[in-house]
Amino acid sequence: MIKISNVSKNYGAFDVLKDCSTTVQKGEVVVVCGPSGSGKSTLIKCVNGLEPFQSGEIIVDGTSVGDPKTNLSKLRSRVGMVFQHFELFPHMSITENLAIAQIKVLGRKQDEAMDKGLKLLDRVGLKAHAHKFPGQLSGGQQQRVAIARALAMDPICMLFDEPTSALDPEMINEVLDVMTELAQEGMTMMCVTHEMGFAKRVANRVIFMDHGRIVEDDSKEAFFANPRSERAQQFLAKILHH
Amino acid sequence: MYEFDWSSIPGALPFLWDGMKISLEITLTAVVIGIVWGTLLAMMRLSSLKPLALFAAGYVNLFRAVPLVMVLLWFFLIVPKFIEQLFGLPPGTDLRLTSAMIGFALFESAYYSEIIRAGIQSVPKGQMAACSALGMTYGQAMRLVILPQAFRNMVPLLLTQAIILFQDTSLVYVSALADFFGAAYKVGDRDGRLVELLLFAGAVYFVICFAASTVVKRLQKKFHPA
């Protein structure tokens, strides 16, 4: 589904990504973790071309992301993405947030888009809030709407960029529950997250990054039982104490 | 002691009203064209296409570095000849109003584009990323998501600029066009009551602009309750 081959990216002399390669199979859930500044968010943003990269290749469902001939908008409309800061459109109601891209990008009819949006809103447990505006919802609720908005496009896979990092602790679980459910339904997912509990529960594989390199890329069992690199051991020791 | 004599004002009201209509017409055209052209300039300036960004930066800096009176004068001298040739009008057609409108519109665009640029930049970058991630094109993202939010943030500033513009329309006196100020001046000159007429004109400008500013302040509170 997603094949990342030897991807490198730099800002001037600073290497953000160094020779990163990995693959995500259909239906697989891959958690990307690592210390801040390790390039994990950049890597996931390269997958749908939000961040350009200088060398290497990323193939998503047979389409090369870096190829200038690729219709990136079209590819992105098939890859769902959830951001750290939700990025709902504050000037639109929740229903409009859910419908706008379906109508403008996929060309769906108004009623169809509204229907689909409401169904997904129900699925994330927020049907009662359909008429509200994003500013009237809590962070956790906004993030669930953002997930529903991405799902409304019928994505072939979902990218999560630290979806719970901006949330108050008591709201993290409501978002993780939605993500867990999604994973169990067989959605292909790539998640940048520090939530190791989530990784242990639903991930098939864990990628550990440090200084722009993929240091570990292993099944979650192997990763949590005995991480090979010292850096990952330290990271886990720190993060699992909480 | 100077004795005020306001008697020439009532009879001159229709003439003054005609002048006010010209002032308002110029203001309205300049605001509308200024916002549209200013938005395009702002988008060019923020564009990653170097020639467009350079053009917009040059345009804005040029107009902001030159006094308005001078711009107006250039337009009075150049635009009529240009339009006459373009449309084959007989020489001497009165195009002062048209050139005033064009001059103001192009001048104000530079100021509006700076306000709009700041407005676009006030929208968090993640909004554009979210639009792209949903498969929207750059144009769709601007039109549906970025500009509506930017304009909402900018409404008070845009209106304030419109009020300044309305005051500045009095500068068309350099072409002897009878806008409100020009009309008042003409009546005062004719009747030897210049002081009264200019005081009256000043009072009218004050009432209109003060009322408009009050409305803007109310709007500001509504949009940004602090």
Side-chain angles (χ1 to χ4, degrees):
Chain A
M1 178 67 68
I2 303 171
K3 187 167 166 44
I4 302 175
S5 322
N6 310 104
V7 166
S8 296
K9 176 183 172 70
N10 61 285
Y11 294 119
F14 179 67
D15 293 322
V16 196
L17 296 175
K18 286 180 232 167
D19 201 26
C20 295
S21 300
T22 190
T23 51
V24 180
Q25 305 293 336
K26 192 167 166 27
E28 214 176 8
V29 176
V30 173
V31 162
V32 184
C33 62
S36 60
S38 59
K40 50 198 190 315
S41 279
T42 310
L43 180 69
I44 204 171
K45 282 180 183 154
C46 285
V47 173
N48 65 352
L50 281 185
E51 289 275 358
F53 46 92
Q54 278 93 5
S55 64
E57 193 178 43
I58 298 180
I59 307 281
V60 178
D61 194 35
T63 308
S64 170
V65 178
D67 187 341
K69 288 192 292 269
T70 297
N71 182 342
L72 263 186
S73 300
K74 195 165 178 205
L75 178 66
R76 285 169 180 155
S77 71
R78 304 172 63 217
V79 177
M81 182 155 203
V82 175
F83 297 86
Q84 184 176 2
H85 296 287
F86 334 131
E87 305 301 350
L88 295 178
F89 305 135
H91 60 302
M92 296 181 193
S93 70
I94 300 302
T95 351
E96 288 169 321
N97 263 281
L98 291 163
I100 182 104
Q102 294 186 64
I103 296 169
K104 299 289 178 182
V105 177
L106 301 180
R108 285 183 184 152
K109 294 225 165 52
Q110 176 98 14
D111 310 346
E112 192 190 348
M114 291 284 177
D115 261 14
K116 175 117 196 162
L118 284 176
K119 257 185 219 141
L120 286 162
L121 201 58
D122 195 21
R123 189 171 145 186
V124 298
L126 294 170
K127 200 173 188 179
H129 301 277
H131 59 282
K132 289 190 181 166
F133 281 79
Q136 296 169 287
L137 302 187
S138 73
Q141 291 171 329
Q142 289 191 49
Q143 194 61 299
R144 281 145 69 197
V145 173
I147 296 174
R149 179 175 71 176
L151 291 175
M153 305 293 283
D154 293 320
I156 51 170
C157 60
M158 289 281 285
L159 308 173
F160 292 85
D161 184 13
E162 305 208 27
T164 56
S165 303
L167 295 176
D168 290 336
E170 73 265 31
M171 291 171 186
I172 289 177
N173 279 329
E174 61 188 74
V175 172
L176 291 179
D177 287 346
V178 171
M179 290 170 63
T180 305
E181 215 174 284
L182 207 54
Q184 282 161 354
E185 283 166 24
M187 176 60 81
T188 308
M189 290 164 62
M190 201 168 167
C191 315
V192 173
T193 182
H194 295 298
E195 297 297 331
M196 290 301 121
F198 171 78
K200 278 184 174 164
R201 241 180 311 147
V202 298
N204 300 105
R205 275 184 22 243
V206 178
I207 289 173
F208 178 79
M209 292 186 69
D210 190 31
H211 293 300
R213 281 185 197 283
I214 293 181
V215 184
E216 310 240 354
D217 184 350
D218 223 331
S219 71
K220 77 170 164 197
E221 291 81 10
F223 179 75
F224 285 113
N226 43 5
R228 277 166 299 174
S229 68
E230 201 182 317
R231 193 67 192 80
Q233 286 166 12
Q234 288 169 356
F235 178 78
L236 280 176
K238 265 183 211 153
I239 211 158
L240 290 180
H241 274 305
H242 298 300
Chain B
M1 181 73 193
Y2 185 86
E3 271 182 44
F4 287 104
D5 175 5
W6 305 94
S7 60
S8 56
I9 292 177
L13 282 179
F15 182 63
L16 291 172
W17 172 239
D18 285 343
M20 182 55 83
K21 279 193 282 192
I22 289 181
S23 299
L24 292 174
E25 261 175 79
I26 296 174
T27 308
L28 197 70
T29 348
V31 168
V32 172
I33 298 178
I35 289 178
V36 173
W37 178 221
T39 306
L40 292 173
L41 282 170
M43 283 169 63
M44 284 189 220
R45 194 143 186 208
L46 294 171
S47 145
S48 51
L49 296 171
K50 272 272 140 50
L52 284 184
L54 275 176
F55 167 77
Y59 180 99
V60 170
N61 286 323
L62 174 72
F63 275 100
R64 279 162 55 101
V66 175
L68 175 56
V69 176
M70 215 169 273
V71 174
L72 291 177
L73 216 44
W74 291 342
F75 275 85
F76 290 133
L77 297 175
I78 300 163
V79 172
K81 292 217 172 67
F82 183 71
I83 294 183
E84 272 168 22
Q85 277 178 4
L86 198 67
F87 295 101
L89 298 173
T93 313
D94 187 1
L95 291 168
R96 286 176 304 173
L97 181 60
T98 319
S99 18
M101 284 174 173
I102 297 175
F104 270 105
L106 295 184
F107 185 85
E108 291 300 324
S109 303
Y111 284 83
Y112 274 120
S113 97
E114 286 297 277
I115 296 175
I116 294 163
R117 180 165 72 119
I120 293 175
Q121 284 173 326
S122 76
V123 178
K125 287 227 174 359
Q127 290 281 303
M128 184 50 106
C131 292
S132 304
L134 285 165
M136 290 187 200
T137 60
Y138 178 81
Q140 285 176 323
M142 270 292 169
R143 197 159 40 82
L144 301 168
V145 176
I146 309 295
L147 287 177
Q149 290 183 62
F151 273 103
R152 210 200 305 218
N153 296 340
M154 290 176 318
V155 166
L157 277 176
L158 293 176
L159 290 177
T160 306
Q161 184 65 28
I163 295 170
I164 298 173
L165 169 58
F166 173 65
Q167 295 168 357
D168 286 350
T169 54
S170 57
L171 289 174
V172 294
Y173 80 88
V174 292
S175 73
L177 188 66
D179 74 318
F180 181 65
F181 174 72
Y185 192 94
K186 277 182 186 162
V187 172
D189 205 30
R190 183 195 64 194
D191 298 348
R193 287 288 159 202
L194 205 49
V195 174
E196 286 85 347
L197 261 297
L198 290 188
L199 281 174
F200 174 72
V204 171
Y205 276 111
F206 175 80
V207 168
I208 293 177
C209 294
F210 186 74
S213 306
T214 313
V215 171
V216 172
K217 267 185 208 135
R218 289 244 174 99
L219 277 178
Q220 211 157 9
K221 273 205 191 116
K222 203 173 141 193
F223 282 115
H224 304 280

